[in-house]
């Protein structure tokens, strides 16, 4: 079994910073991509940022220059450093581990339950 769990959400003032963490646990050989998504009521879930096992990254245009994604392959952990936060960044942020290789499967995707980030004054 593979479990994905986010942490670090909370309330922050506009212009402030927050750091999200996500850990994939279980008997894991490798994870191809780790990514962050976000969703608000009435909107589709959108990709915020993703990173490959080799360190290649991409970002949504709305967060480029403000957010930074990074990962620790040895710990199967991904981070999202969020700076200069805006009210429109308020959302449930979910972590996804994609292309996960385990003893029982070659490539599977897993999702965490999400962490709420609220940007408000």
């Amino acid at each position: 079994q593979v479990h994905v769990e986010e942490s670090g959400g909370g309330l922050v003032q506009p212009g402030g910073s927050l750091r999200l963490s996500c850990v994939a646990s279980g008997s894991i050989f490798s994870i191809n991509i780790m990514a962050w998504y976000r969703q608000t009521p009435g909107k589709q879930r959108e990709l915020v940022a993703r990173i490959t096992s080799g360190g290649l990254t991409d970002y949504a245009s709305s967060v480029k220059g403000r957010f930074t994604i990074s990962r620790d392959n040895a710990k199967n952990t991904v981070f999202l450093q969020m700076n200069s936060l805006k009210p429109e960044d308020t959302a449930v942020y979910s972590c996804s581990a994609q292309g996960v290789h385990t003893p029982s499967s070659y490539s599977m995707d897993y999702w965490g339950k999400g962490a709420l980030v609220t940007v408000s004054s």
Side-chain angles (χ1 to χ4, degrees):
Q1 294 276 16
V2 174
H3 300 276
V4 177
E5 186 168 5
E6 306 92 343
S7 62
L11 175 65
V12 64
Q13 300 294 317
S17 297
L18 205 63
R19 178 177 175 267
L20 300 180
S21 300
C22 172
V23 178
S25 61
S27 184
I28 299 171
F29 294 148
S30 63
I31 303 172
N32 185 18
I33 295 172
M34 302 193 79
W36 289 97
Y37 295 76
R38 67 185 182 187
Q39 187 170 28
T40 57
K43 291 188 175 182
Q44 294 183 2
R45 183 170 59 195
E46 65 172 336
L47 175 67
V48 178
R50 59 185 173 188
I51 183 169
T52 71
S53 61
L56 299 178
T57 63
D58 57 32
Y59 298 88
S61 60
S62 59
V63 308
K64 187 177 180 180
R66 299 187 297 120
F67 292 10
T68 302
I69 189 170
S70 60
R71 67 187 284 176
D72 184 335
N73 290 334
K75 298 180 179 180
N76 290 324
T77 300
V78 64
F79 306 94
L80 186 67
Q81 178 66 47
M82 303 182 292
N83 299 325
S84 301
L85 283 162
K86 305 174 181 179
E88 52 262 43
D89 293 320
T90 297
V92 174
Y93 285 72
S94 299
C95 174
S96 177
Q98 302 170 356
V100 181
H101 186 198
T102 70
S104 60
S105 63
Y106 182 75
S107 182
M108 293 286 288
D109 297 346
Y110 300 90
W111 288 84
K113 296 180 180 179
L116 177 62
V117 173
T118 302
V119 185
S120 177
S121 60

